[in-house]
Amino acid sequence: MANTIHLLYLFAVLTAAAAYHRPDLPPGPYCGLPSNNQCCTNRKDDCSHRILDTLCYCDEFCNRTRAHDDCCPDYESVCLGIQPEPEYLIQPCVYRNRQYYPGDKRTENCNTCECIITDEVKLTTEWRCDQDECLMSQDVVYGVNQPGMSWRAYNYSQFFGKKLKDGLKYKLGTFPLSPETKRMGAIRYDKNIPYPENFDARRRWPNFISPIVDQGWCGSDWAVSIAGVASDRFAIQSNGAENMVLSPQTLLSCNIRQQQGCAGGHIDVAWNFARGHGLVDENCFPYKAAVTRCPFKPKGTLITDGCRPRAPRTSRYKVGPPGRLNTEADIMYDIMESGPVQAVMTVYQDFFHYRDGIYRRSRHGDSMLQGRHSVRIVGWGEERGDKYWTVANSWGTEWGENGYFRIARGNNESGIESFVVTVLSDVTEANQRK
Ligand SMILES: *[C@@H]1O[C@H](CO)[C@@H](O)[C@H](O)[C@H]1NC(C)=O
Ligand SMILES: *[C@@H]1O[C@H](CO)[C@@H](O)[C@H](O)[C@H]1NC(C)=O
Ligand SMILES: *[C@@H]1O[C@H](CO)[C@@H](O)[C@H](O)[C@H]1NC(C)=O
């Protein structure tokens, strides 16, 4: 009885194998025949066998295409020693009308799918895919781009195929605010003055506002936003006498203690570094999107050759103690008086898709994952009664509105008003704005 079942199974397997190869072929052997010219090298036209009304070949020449159409059916097993693969008996995985075999892989946005055998006996297969949430989501693109939304979403090719968890780590980079950070001294103006409907630091101080940075695939927003705010404020407070772009790489490479470089940083620790050690010019230490060796002495004011500041400055570019701004009006007053400020916001999945308009969290895609991002607010405005902040991001100029975004103002959208930091630059006395 057991033997019968075994034979039946073998028969089924053989039929399946034969069915996969061309069923109309008379059974071999061909290359396996005990004759003189089995398996020839190069091209040898008489190294052939009659098969139906044509010839099949056992020379290497027949092997020149992947399909080796005119090789004899047993060429692979006899001449190349390749045993027929069990896949031939298997129901293949299918994707877009193409067949795949166990071990074959394909990607679906940020996830890898592999064709796996689900039943060793019936030889059935199926796709098994990672189930991670992706940075780019079709649901967000379609959901947000409906009439009535205040912003538009876009499928960014540079983000497509990346995982959301990696985006939250390497496109952002601000660690949770510690209780000490939250106790950072508040600055209150309480100015009861009429504010302009629109204000843009780039128009108020042309040439003093630092360009958009692309932080790359490195969680350095903490360094980039601080260097940006400090640069802008040096230029503004010195009325252009100290107008340079400061180097976030100084923080990334030299502010090592308590920080994790491209895996993220604490903004209060970074501000303290900028205050105690100062930053250097971007030209002197360009951004690398990676933690490199710090070329400066950690302490003191020594600056290597080629990095000397312009006279009368003798030290690196340092800032004063940072302070918090707690109200919409105080944030506006501070920007108008002394330049862009830093803000820490919550980033949800949909934000990565921002193309233009006034951002509000849409809840399309609605992943539970989120992250913290440090950015630079450069101004504000109103569009058909809708109030917004204008903010510099650090994802290059291809993203958003030339690297900037606008976000709803006055109701703490995505926490944008929950932790706003201002600072005064340590401008050389002779250069102080009068
Ligand atoms: C035959 O073709 C296969 C696949 O195209 C190739 O890997 C192999 O090296 C070839 N063998 C010979 C002997 O040409
Ligand atoms: C998004 O863009 C990628 C290529 O960058 C493309 O393969 C994918 O189909 C696009 N998705 C949607 C929903 O348009
Ligand atoms: C602003 O929103 C954040 C969360 O996004 C919250 O933690 C914070 O308490 C809010 N702040 C105010 C002043 O409402």
Side-chain angles (χ1 to χ4, degrees):
M1 187 63 188
N3 266 340
T4 321
I5 290 174
H6 197 83
L7 273 177
L8 276 174
Y9 176 66
L10 188 65
F11 180 75
V13 163
L14 286 174
T15 327
Y20 186 80
H21 295 296
R22 313 207 325 250
D24 50 339
L25 295 182
Y30 303 98
C31 304
L33 280 173
S35 66
N36 289 339
N37 61 353
Q38 58 188 48
C39 299
C40 307
T41 52
N42 304 323
R43 176 172 181 166
K44 209 164 172 213
D45 287 346
D46 59 354
C47 190
S48 60
H49 299 277
R50 189 142 285 284
I51 183 167
L52 298 179
D53 54 351
T54 175
L55 292 174
C56 72
Y57 295 88
C58 297
D59 61 6
E60 279 173 1
F61 190 68
C62 77
N63 185 40
R64 67 204 181 281
T65 65
R66 251 184 86 88
H68 38 71
D69 309 309
D70 53 5
C71 288
C72 293
D74 61 349
Y75 173 76
E76 271 204 335
S77 58
V78 173
C79 300
L80 302 180
I82 301 172
Q83 289 316 306
E85 294 185 36
E87 283 134 33
Y88 291 141
L89 311 173
I90 268 170
Q91 303 164 25
C93 293
V94 176
Y95 180 70
R96 293 200 172 149
N97 293 324
R98 266 192 64 192
Q99 298 191 336
Y100 296 80
Y101 289 93
D104 285 349
K105 289 183 180 159
R106 66 182 173 86
T107 56
E108 200 163 89
N109 195 345
C110 69
N111 288 309
T112 301
C113 300
E114 182 173 353
C115 180
I116 54 140
I117 299 175
T118 46
D119 186 324
E120 296 283 354
V121 176
K122 292 185 191 146
L123 294 175
T124 52
T125 57
E126 71 176 28
W127 287 113
R128 186 142 307 164
C129 304
D130 298 340
Q131 296 293 328
D132 285 315
E133 291 174 288
C134 301
L135 198 48
M136 289 292 105
S137 145
Q138 198 164 321
D139 290 351
V140 172
V141 175
Y142 292 147
V144 171
N145 291 338
Q146 298 298 323
M149 292 293 290
S150 59
W151 60 284
R152 290 190 302 173
Y154 186 71
N155 171 19
Y156 284 99
S157 60
Q158 68 268 37
F159 291 165
F160 189 82
K162 306 279 192 190
K163 293 186 190 290
L164 176 58
K165 62 182 180 196
D166 292 333
L168 294 172
K169 186 161 183 182
Y170 297 113
K171 297 311 290 182
L172 313 180
T174 301
F175 284 153
L177 305 175
S178 65
E180 307 94 82
T181 312
K182 288 186 180 161
R183 281 198 293 272
M184 183 184 283
I187 294 174
R188 291 209 169 74
Y189 298 114
D190 295 323
K191 298 280 185 193
N192 193 9
I193 55 164
Y195 288 96
E197 194 176 292
N198 290 282
F199 182 88
D200 191 327
R202 293 167 294 179
R203 244 170 281 137
R204 170 70 181 76
W205 298 289
N207 307 320
F208 290 1
I209 304 303
S210 49
I212 292 292
V213 172
D214 187 346
Q215 71 185 75
W217 211 246
C218 169
S220 62
D221 66 357
W222 55 279
V224 170
S225 57
I226 285 178
V229 167
S231 306
D232 298 350
R233 287 174 166 245
F234 262 103
I236 293 164
Q237 281 166 237
S238 67
N239 202 18
E242 298 195 314
N243 183 12
M244 67 280 135
V245 174
L246 293 176
S247 148
Q249 193 64 42
T250 321
L251 289 164
L252 201 53
S253 291
C254 306
N255 182 203
I256 298 292
R257 281 185 61 179
Q258 299 178 65
Q259 306 289 51
Q260 306 218 345
C262 288
H266 295 282
I267 57 168
D268 59 330
V269 174
W271 277 118
N272 280 340
F273 185 94
R275 190 181 169 192
H277 302 291
L279 305 180
V280 298
D281 196 311
E282 169 74 14
N283 292 327
C284 149
F285 196 18
Y287 185 65
K288 292 284 193 315
V291 177
T292 56
R293 198 183 63 83
C294 178
F296 313 108
K297 294 211 169 141
K299 280 216 170 4
T301 55
L302 252 177
I303 294 168
T304 56
D305 280 344
C307 292
R308 288 188 194 289
R310 267 169 275 163
R313 167 165 293 277
T314 54
S315 68
R316 289 187 211 160
Y317 298 95
K318 296 181 181 179
V319 298
R324 278 185 76 168
L325 298 164
N326 286 325
T327 66
E328 179 188 349
D330 281 352
I331 298 168
M332 289 160 74
Y333 185 80
D334 194 84
I335 295 174
M336 212 162 66
E337 283 298 300
S338 28
V341 294
Q342 183 191 40
V344 178
M345 66 183 285
T346 307
V347 165
Y348 304 97
Q349 183 184 27
D350 64 354
F351 182 76
F352 289 99
H353 302 76
Y354 173 88
R355 167 90 279 180
D356 55 17
I358 301 174
Y359 175 79
R360 297 183 159 76
R361 185 186 180 191
S362 71
R363 295 184 187 275
H364 285 294
D366 213 25
S367 167
M368 294 306 287
L369 300 178
Q370 50 181 255
R372 267 168 313 277
H373 194 29
S374 300
V375 290
R376 179 167 50 111
I377 306 183
V378 302
W380 65 85
E382 243 180 274
E383 192 175 78
R384 277 171 260 116
D386 204 1
K387 300 196 300 176
Y388 61 82
W389 299 109
T390 307
V391 189
N393 199 355
S394 44
W395 296 345
T397 51
E398 300 291 297
W399 183 89
E401 298 180 332
N402 301 314
Y404 288 81
F405 63 98
R406 288 177 293 150
I407 184 169
R409 166 169 59 103
N411 55 4
N412 191 27
E413 174 60 46
S414 301
I416 189 81
E417 286 142 25
S418 66
F419 201 82
V420 177
V421 180
T422 179
V423 78
L424 286 179
S425 293
D426 192 6
V427 167
T428 308
E429 206 167 318
N431 287 335
Q432 285 285 349
R433 172 169 63 153
K434 297 297 179 310

